[in-house]
Amino acid sequence: MTPTRVLVLNSGSSSVKYQLIDMADRSRLAVGLAERIGEETSALHHEPLAGGGKRERHGRLADHDAALEAIAEELAADGMGLDSPELAVIGHRVVHGGLKLTVPTLVDDAVLKEIERLIPVAPLHNPANVTGIRTAQRLRPDLPQVAVFDTAFHSAMPEHAARYAIDVETADAHRVRRYGFHGTSHAYVSRKAAELLGKDASEVNLIVLHLGNGASASAVRGGRCEDTSMGLTPLEGLVMGTRSGDIDPAVVFHLGRVAGMSMDEVDELLNKRSGLLGLCGDNDMRQIRRRMAEGDAAARLAFDIYIHRLKKYIGAYYAVLGTVDAVVFTAGVGENSAPVREAAVAGLKELGLAVDGELNAAGGKEARLISPSYARVKVAVVPTDEELEIAEQSYALVASR
Ligand code: AMP
């Protein structure tokens, strides 16, 4: 019997999300989340999808090791433990692969070392990814582990998009360049969008807008990334839930000199207390829309700033690509917020862009077009599925060995 199951692990700084997927039919067998790892209030939410209902565990999970052991126990209780002969591979989401790790990669010591070496450019994420891989290796030493990198899709970016205009020696000495993130989502969504248009990915130019709590845009020409809005870190680009996105770097010096803020304080301000949250006190687009309906001026302004930035990126990437087949919305806000989609393309008829009010408002879980039939440039909603993409890439790699 050829094993066909893939366990996908997404280890964050204090959480582990997981899905067990059977690649024979792409079905989900179990999904879950271990959260608040390291705190007294840790919880594990586990759901076997073949039946049996959701289960919860409460109580301290001391570290990622403990969390992964608890996850393995829950899977084992459903007869789908890590020792199962049906398990083909564990696929890990790894945030930063740098310049060397640009394709899904079978993890060995050298690969782990490289992921560790990149910790200075991904201090929040790569340490958790390394821990997740080490623990999985300990629990199932004989099983292949594949790392799928969030930066990989963007590694095709040409130098003129990837470099900052700063002194080359300084940049190279410290690996300062634009890497981009959410690459697994941009890759999956651009492939699905091409399918929706009835074309091969190599034939279409797309502007992909991944609008979740984190948000990024990318310009994709013929299936390859030509530019993306996140940079050295996920801070650059669009206005996000709690991140500022683009900002004059002199703001950092100014806050240091004038407000006496430390580097760490400015880092925390721009990553955690900015974006929609910093502007109006809420980072959830649903809540912002509710407040707007009640006439709340701060929520209105936050929305307008969010849309203004989005529109600037649509325009910029239109110019980068020259011709555009579709603008594609994905992730929490992109998939669910009709008002954001409508506002983002409002006034862009001259560029061939429009949404159909009814199609836009209709909702749904499937990839769909929301532009009127006459539109020169299609507008699409394509639900992202990073876990399935990681499973596909990990499975393809072990199947090809
Ligand atoms: P993600 O990071 O992709 O999980 O997206 C999370 C974000 O999606 C939340 O913070 C909300 O702002 C947004 N979101 C989720 N559902 C909706 C909805 N129905 N309408 C508007 N925004 C939504």
Side-chain angles (χ1 to χ4, degrees):
M1 183 191 62
T2 313
T4 54
R5 293 179 180 174
V6 183
L7 178 63
V8 177
L9 292 179
N10 180 353
S11 304
S13 54
S14 65
S15 69
V16 179
K17 282 190 233 159
Y18 62 97
Q19 290 195 4
L20 184 65
I21 302 177
D22 194 336
M23 298 312 286
D25 58 1
R26 274 50 182 178
S27 62
R28 313 275 142 151
L29 302 174
V31 301
L33 164 72
E35 58 181 351
R36 294 185 297 279
I37 295 169
E39 296 177 33
E40 291 308 320
T41 57
S42 311
L44 173 58
H45 312 272
H46 176 80
E47 186 174 11
L49 295 172
K54 288 185 189 173
R55 300 198 294 275
E56 306 258 329
R57 276 194 194 197
H58 294 276
R60 183 174 155 82
L61 296 164
D63 49 27
H64 282 69
D65 243 29
L68 216 52
E69 268 176 27
I71 292 167
E73 282 168 24
E74 291 298 336
L75 288 167
D78 299 320
M80 303 186 291
L82 292 194
D83 56 352
S84 154
E86 286 152 298
L87 192 57
V89 54
I90 300 183
H92 297 265
R93 174 188 183 222
V94 177
V95 165
H96 215 309
L99 286 179
K100 291 192 183 148
L101 301 171
T102 59
V103 290
T105 306
L106 208 56
V107 177
D108 59 17
D109 285 347
V111 171
L112 255 181
K113 276 215 181 77
E114 182 62 18
I115 298 170
E116 274 178 328
R117 206 174 66 86
L118 291 163
I119 285 175
V121 281
L124 298 179
H125 295 102
N126 272 32
N129 300 152
V130 169
T131 312
I133 293 172
R134 282 198 200 288
T135 308
Q137 281 178 329
R138 186 176 56 73
L139 292 175
R140 199 49 215 279
D142 59 316
L143 197 67
Q145 315 265 339
V146 171
V148 176
F149 302 95
D150 241 24
T151 46
F153 182 65
H154 306 304
S155 65
M157 266 195 293
E159 280 297 282
H160 57 249
R163 279 206 177 262
Y164 292 110
I166 63 170
D167 172 66
V168 171
E169 270 178 37
T170 309
D172 287 350
H174 302 286
R175 296 195 284 270
V176 175
R177 59 188 280 123
R178 307 187 60 255
Y179 295 96
F181 298 87
H182 291 146
T184 307
S185 174
H186 284 281
Y188 175 83
V189 167
S190 33
R191 223 178 43 241
K192 289 282 159 193
E195 272 173 33
L196 182 68
L197 298 175
K199 301 219 168 129
D200 191 77
S202 64
E203 299 170 331
V204 291
N205 290 352
L206 305 169
I207 297 172
V208 179
L209 304 169
H210 176 112
L211 309 178
N213 199 28
S216 61
S218 64
V220 182
R221 187 194 302 282
R224 288 168 66 87
C225 176
E226 191 133 319
D227 200 355
T228 193
S229 59
M230 285 178 166
L232 173 74
T233 76
L235 183 55
E236 191 178 343
L238 300 173
V239 175
M240 310 183 210
T242 66
R243 296 182 208 134
S244 62
D246 294 337
I247 201 166
D248 181 346
V251 170
V252 179
F253 322 139
H254 181 78
L255 290 174
R257 290 176 192 137
V258 174
M261 290 173 75
S262 69
M263 287 281 193
D264 285 346
E265 283 169 341
V266 180
D267 192 335
E268 196 258 350
L269 169 78
L270 297 181
N271 275 293
K272 302 208 170 130
R273 290 192 288 123
S274 296
L276 294 170
L277 181 75
L279 287 166
C280 74
D282 271 307
N283 62 329
D284 191 314
M285 190 54 80
R286 287 163 286 199
Q287 183 59 14
I288 289 169
R289 294 296 305 173
R290 269 182 228 120
R291 284 173 54 187
M292 285 168 71
E294 290 159 6
D296 186 314
R300 169 90 250 169
L301 182 59
F303 183 84
D304 289 348
I305 294 170
Y306 183 95
I307 296 297
H308 180 67
R309 184 82 53 84
L310 198 51
K311 209 171 243 187
K312 288 210 288 192
Y313 269 92
I314 294 172
Y317 286 175
Y318 205 123
V320 163
L321 291 169
T323 60
V324 177
D325 294 281
V327 171
V328 190
F329 288 88
T330 193
V333 177
E335 290 167 29
N336 296 300
S337 181
V340 164
R341 296 190 296 255
E342 185 187 339
V345 301
L348 301 184
K349 282 223 170 72
E350 283 295 315
L351 296 182
L353 272 164
V355 296
D356 176 282
E358 252 173 60
L359 292 175
N360 188 31
K365 291 264 168 270
E366 299 298 316
R368 59 198 185 275
L369 291 177
I370 57 167
S371 42
S373 52
Y374 62 79
R376 202 156 33 86
V377 178
K378 307 291 176 215
V379 181
V381 179
V382 176
T384 192
D385 194 339
E386 290 167 282
E387 286 77 14
L388 181 60
E389 180 71 8
I390 291 169
E392 298 271 11
Q393 296 193 5
S394 305
Y395 189 67
L397 183 62
V398 292
S400 70
R401 286 197 304 157

